[in-house]
Amino acid sequence: MSNKPIPHAKSAAEWIEKEDHYTFHDERLWDMRQKRDEQMHLLPEWQDLREQASRLKEHTLAHLPHYLEQFEENARRNGIHVHWARDGAEHNRIVESLLKKHNKTSIIKSKSMITDECEMREYLEPRGYSVTETDLGERIQQLDGQMPSHVVVPAVQKLTGDVAQLFAKYYDTDPASDDPHELAEAQRIAARPALLTGDTGMTGGNFLVAETGTFVVCTNEGNADLSANLPDLHIATLGIERLIPRMADLGVFIRLLSRSALGSPITQYTTHFRKPKKGGEMHVILVDNGRSDRLAMDDFWSSLKCIRCGACMNTCPVYRRSGGQSYGAVYSGPIGAIIDPTFNAKKFSTLPFASTMNGSCTNVCPVKINIHDQLYKWRQVLAERHEIPFVKRALMKMAGRLLAQPALYRLSISGAEVALKTVPRFALYNYFNQWGKHRELPHPVKETFHSWYKKNRLNKEKGAEKEETEA
Amino acid sequence: MKIGLFIPCYIDAFYPKTGIATLELLEKLGQNAEYPMDQTCCGQPMANSGCSPDAKMTEELFVRNFAKYDVIVAPSGSCVHHVRDHFDAMEQTADVRHVRQNTYELVEFLHDVLKVRDFPWAEFPHRVGLHNSCATLRSLRTASMSELGEPFFSKPKTLLSAVKGISFATPKRPDECCGFGGTYSVTEEAVSAKMGLDKVTDHHEAGAEYIVSADTSCMMHQQGCAERNGVPIRFIHIAEILNGAKA
């Protein structure tokens, strides 16, 4: 994996130039945020639900080993095989060994962020296995060789015209016909044979229930149910933080998940998997991949509460205006910006800076992750580790020294012609060049407040005192 | 009550009118306000860039300048948020704690501490769009936040409603960040400027002649975006309207 910092600002600038994409993307996601608000207003207990969800997740994370073992024991009792993967590589080897053991070669797969995180397709495909994404958005991204743009709507950065051109390459459809129904139908026609011939089904999962040893998958297209149930072998991959203690806790999360994500009361399908079908096998792979390390980070552990609803992305004015691809990561948007640096602090060092720190993400988060506070803290951590550009570091050091010395500071901005002409050179060159690309500079003024105050208050007071003494 | 007036660097250099209006307004309200001459900045630009250690000396200077006052008032929500919530790099002495606990943004000082509701000298016969900075909205909480679905309240609007002749335009996305974000405005200038343009366009389309805010930094950015793109809208700090500016 390349370690070069992701050029978020540059990619975002290019994205903005595509006016039709930009407008659609911003408005589509803003609409999801609006629908989320409507659902929130329908539930007077919304803030209580968020508080409960947050506490449940915090409790579970504080007792993670206990609940993981409880899940494992109960799942085994149900007849599910449970595997533990320390990282993505181990996960992929487990999947491969299961395929080998059962002589399987073709996977039909529903959307799961964690298999993308493990780079499973990249591992399996060169080894002769076929992996077919069955979620429409995820399939579009697979055909285009791109990572998901969004955790819930993976291809949201594409217009129907883009999809029409992409499908034409693979599905023998008309590249000029961008009717969404026709496109969905083309995908359906292409997916059905794959679903019927695929010999292994893979899914992700939204929740692991410790008490029952079951797991729950929430989808809208029904493709996860087909993927899981048609073949005899079902492999489900879930991160260890998907746990909740009891079935009774599930309702809190189900009520929040789709309302936060899409603004719909519930997903079309909420499927509980308990045991393999007759004659089949069911495997659950529990993946760590850095999660235990994150749990040990004082400032960042609570990001593990995330239920992957994408509400923070929908509300984020920067994400909406830069597109998911600009984050160069499996997880984009505000949640990505605080999770990704735990995987690779150098590569993702730019992401915590891809924010105005407006705080809207924290307010919509259904499990109350303090996302914008963590962005601020990541900036401190990254600067301390020298993972911010040298020029910026030098600039901040200079600014820090200048602003700590009033006399020097005054010298640097004073003089007859204030403001723009006499702003310190470093500020002028490093800042206003960028400032001025798409904006006008502030207008020059005759005098600073400082000098006005001196003339109109301090000197007047002195003058008045003088008059008094003379009188 | 002795007030220390904090005039942030960009107001000092680019918008002295706002600083003057703040001082005159406090004086009209019978307050004893003083501007310590050795002040520079609150340290936010460095800290927001991740460089808290570089902000430390500036923050210490701030405390030395202002610890002697009963309260510190600034016409900038963003700077007050930094002083109150992020003055963490230095040792938390009694002076530091005093400054953190007693620094107020102008609107909250007028609304919550002085509890002023009348500005008989103020008249502003214009349609204005109110811009709440993210710092005033989500940190200082001077207005309700749309994400939480809380009952509507707005301290700046309550104050402005006492001004003769004023009327309000309602943009489609009143809570949306304008994209300034301090150093963000230059590190991601394209997204920042686009957000600014979207923001001023939203206000303009809602019929606002002026954008009024308690944060000059947001408006400096928005003004730059509006002027570059020919969006006909003007900008004024809330202190100026409350102090009786006519336009």
Side-chain angles (χ1 to χ4, degrees):
Chain A
M1 180 160 62
S2 161
N3 251 351
K4 235 179 119 202
I6 296 293
H8 179 270
K10 186 169 164 278
S11 307
E14 287 163 11
W15 163 257
I16 285 173
E17 295 301 318
K18 302 200 285 183
E19 189 70 38
D20 50 347
H21 285 76
Y22 167 86
T23 307
F24 171 81
H25 192 259
D26 173 53
E27 285 176 359
R28 165 92 172 97
L29 294 170
W30 181 251
D31 183 56
M32 283 160 70
R33 158 73 208 280
Q34 295 302 102
K35 292 200 165 83
R36 171 249 176 228
D37 285 6
E38 285 166 23
Q39 289 296 323
M40 166 185 67
H41 288 298
L42 290 174
L43 296 188
E45 66 272 35
W46 185 259
Q47 299 307 333
D48 292 338
L49 281 174
R50 288 178 73 219
E51 185 58 34
Q52 278 191 55
S54 169
R55 285 195 189 165
L56 281 165
K57 278 285 179 186
E58 287 180 3
H59 167 84
T60 313
L61 289 166
H63 301 86
L64 198 57
H66 165 70
Y67 286 120
L68 281 170
E69 283 170 9
Q70 194 187 351
F71 172 81
E72 182 184 30
E73 192 188 326
N74 290 329
R76 289 216 162 115
R77 199 173 292 142
N78 293 337
I80 300 176
H81 299 268
V82 180
H83 308 263
W84 300 87
R86 190 178 307 275
D87 52 25
E90 191 171 2
H91 166 266
N92 298 340
R93 284 197 300 272
I94 292 170
V95 174
E96 188 186 17
S97 71
L98 288 171
L99 297 173
K100 269 190 183 151
K101 187 180 155 200
H102 292 89
N103 229 354
K104 308 286 192 191
T105 55
S106 55
I107 296 174
I108 47 173
K109 186 182 158 295
S110 73
K111 189 168 84 66
S112 115
M113 298 303 294
I114 195 163
T115 50
D116 285 329
E117 182 189 317
C118 295
E119 300 183 327
M120 186 188 78
R121 286 200 314 250
E122 291 81 344
Y123 176 86
L124 290 178
E125 281 170 351
R127 287 170 173 77
Y129 302 97
S130 74
V131 182
T132 307
E133 297 289 347
T134 58
D135 173 271
L136 175 58
E138 192 74 0
R139 179 63 175 165
I140 292 168
Q141 292 304 92
Q142 182 186 22
L143 291 176
D144 210 11
Q146 285 183 333
M147 282 186 280
S149 259
H150 185 288
V151 294
V152 174
V153 278
V156 70
Q157 88 289 11
K158 286 189 169 69
L159 299 176
T160 47
D162 304 329
V163 178
Q165 290 191 7
L166 183 69
F167 275 11
K169 281 192 230 164
Y170 296 92
Y171 293 162
D172 195 28
T173 48
D174 179 2
S177 171
D178 64 354
D179 177 65
H181 300 287
E182 276 178 35
L183 293 168
E185 189 58 22
Q187 161 65 9
R188 203 172 283 126
I189 290 166
R192 285 296 147 110
L195 283 165
L196 292 172
T197 57
D199 53 31
T200 303
M202 280 196 77
T203 64
N206 299 77
F207 304 99
L208 296 158
V209 186
E211 160 187 78
T212 52
T214 58
F215 61 98
V216 180
V217 182
C218 304
T219 64
N220 282 307
E221 295 174 25
N223 60 307
D225 298 274
L226 286 172
S227 304
N229 290 309
L230 287 175
D232 290 334
L233 180 61
H234 174 195
I235 305 170
T237 301
L238 294 97
I240 54 173
E241 83 287 14
R242 304 284 102 205
L243 264 180
I244 56 171
R246 301 164 305 171
M247 191 55 85
D249 305 324
L250 184 66
V252 174
F253 295 97
I254 296 292
R255 295 186 79 199
L256 286 165
L257 180 63
S258 194
R259 286 185 169 93
S260 298
L262 298 163
S264 67
I266 193 166
T267 45
Q268 298 290 326
Y269 302 88
T270 302
T271 307
H272 296 246
F273 291 97
R274 189 181 193 95
K275 59 181 185 184
K277 68 178 189 180
K278 251 183 207 156
E281 272 188 25
M282 184 182 282
H283 295 258
V284 168
I285 309 176
L286 300 172
V287 181
D288 187 315
N289 203 31
R291 285 163 176 74
S292 297
D293 292 338
R294 205 185 306 155
L295 191 56
M297 296 175 170
D298 282 344
D299 291 331
F300 306 119
W301 69 271
S302 70
S303 63
L304 288 165
K305 292 194 285 182
C306 177
I307 57 171
R308 308 282 190 264
C309 69
C312 60
M313 307 165 105
N314 303 343
T315 201
C316 177
V318 172
Y319 172 84
R320 266 188 272 113
R321 287 175 180 80
S322 47
Q325 296 299 309
S326 63
Y327 290 76
V330 172
Y331 303 104
S332 51
I335 187 66
I338 61 171
I339 288 180
D340 298 329
T342 67
F343 293 115
N344 186 332
K346 184 176 273 306
K347 182 175 180 182
F348 300 118
S349 58
T350 47
L351 300 187
F353 294 91
S355 165
T356 60
M357 315 259 263
N358 59 79
S360 187
C361 46
T362 299
N363 275 352
V364 296
C365 178
V367 290
K368 298 182 94 165
I369 301 170
N370 56 340
I371 303 175
H372 76 297
D373 291 334
Q374 292 193 34
L375 288 169
Y376 182 82
K377 282 178 180 147
W378 266 117
R379 293 180 179 193
Q380 313 303 322
V381 169
L382 292 165
E384 202 181 307
R385 291 195 205 159
H386 299 285
E387 300 291 5
I388 65 170
F390 172 76
V391 176
K392 192 180 200 177
R393 257 194 295 144
L395 188 65
M396 289 306 149
K397 209 171 265 315
M398 247 192 290
R401 284 190 195 141
L402 181 72
L403 292 165
Q405 300 176 70
L408 193 62
Y409 171 73
R410 277 296 142 201
L411 261 180
S412 73
I413 72 158
S414 68
E417 291 277 329
V418 186
L420 288 177
K421 286 185 184 164
T422 49
V423 159
R425 287 173 67 85
F426 72 85
L428 198 63
Y429 286 110
N430 286 288
Y431 273 27
F432 291 130
N433 280 352
Q434 291 298 316
W435 178 278
K437 273 190 187 169
H438 295 98
R439 267 172 302 223
E440 294 303 314
L441 294 164
H443 307 173
V445 291
K446 291 225 167 60
E447 63 179 349
T448 60
F449 176 81
H450 188 272
S451 87
W452 177 89
Y453 188 82
K454 203 168 173 181
K455 251 188 253 168
N456 293 279
R457 290 295 183 275
L458 293 187
N459 291 349
K460 269 196 182 160
E461 275 172 26
K462 272 183 204 156
E465 276 168 26
K466 213 174 157 195
E467 274 167 32
E468 268 174 36
T469 342
E470 280 166 7
Chain B
M1 179 167 58
K2 190 147 193 192
I3 300 172
L5 182 63
F6 172 49
I7 299 300
C9 40
Y10 53 88
I11 295 183
D12 176 48
F14 300 129
Y15 299 91
K17 261 174 37 179
T18 297
I20 296 167
T22 305
L23 178 64
E24 287 180 351
L25 178 60
L26 289 170
E27 288 169 347
K28 272 189 190 137
L29 294 165
Q31 299 301 311
N32 177 14
E34 189 177 284
Y35 171 85
M37 294 297 278
D38 277 352
Q39 59 181 286
T40 58
C41 164
C42 65
Q44 182 170 216
M46 289 79 81
N48 267 10
S49 304
C51 304
S52 285
D54 296 316
K56 192 178 161 206
M57 286 196 302
T58 303
E59 293 168 355
E60 284 168 347
L61 174 69
F62 187 97
V63 173
R64 281 202 302 280
N65 276 320
F66 288 103
K68 64 179 168 199
Y69 298 99
D70 300 317
V71 295
I72 299 109
V73 175
S76 163
S78 156
C79 303
V80 170
H81 162 55
H82 182 70
V83 171
R84 201 179 280 175
D85 301 321
H86 287 152
F87 258 24
D88 297 319
M90 62 197 147
E91 195 195 331
Q92 300 298 298
T93 61
D95 277 355
V96 174
R97 288 201 305 274
H98 170 78
V99 164
R100 291 181 72 159
Q101 285 161 10
N102 293 286
T103 298
Y104 293 92
E105 179 272 319
L106 178 67
V107 168
E108 61 178 2
F109 182 70
L110 298 175
H111 187 280
D112 299 345
V113 181
L114 298 183
K115 301 190 194 304
V116 190
R117 293 295 180 273
D118 298 311
F119 302 89
W121 49 79
E123 185 174 358
F124 200 71
H126 299 283
R127 201 167 168 77
V128 303
L130 180 59
H131 171 71
N132 292 317
S133 73
C134 298
T136 56
L137 193 61
R138 301 194 184 87
S139 297
L140 308 182
R141 309 219 41 189
T142 60
S144 50
M145 302 179 276
S146 64
E147 301 96 353
L148 297 185
E150 46 191 7
F152 178 84
F153 72 94
S154 170
K155 294 174 189 177
K157 197 169 179 184
T158 301
L159 299 185
L160 285 171
S161 299
V163 173
K164 273 193 284 297
I166 201 164
S167 62
F168 298 93
T170 311
K172 284 193 191 122
R173 305 183 188 182
D175 277 12
E176 177 106 317
C177 172
C178 73
F180 173 63
T183 50
Y184 181 82
S185 62
V186 289
T187 55
E188 296 220 332
E189 64 81 25
V191 179
S192 171
K194 190 71 178 165
M195 285 169 70
L197 177 58
D198 288 351
K199 173 57 83 178
V200 297
T201 306
D202 193 9
H203 278 279
H204 173 60
E205 286 174 356
E209 298 164 60
Y210 281 86
I211 289 179
V212 54
S213 178
D215 277 76
T216 299
S217 52
C218 297
M219 290 196 293
M220 174 170 77
H221 155 75
Q222 292 174 24
Q223 183 177 23
C225 297
E227 286 179 1
R228 175 63 59 91
N229 293 282
V231 180
I233 197 159
R234 285 181 284 179
F235 298 84
I236 189 164
H237 193 280
I238 189 168
E240 294 171 50
I241 296 183
L242 297 179
N243 187 46
K246 294 287 177 280

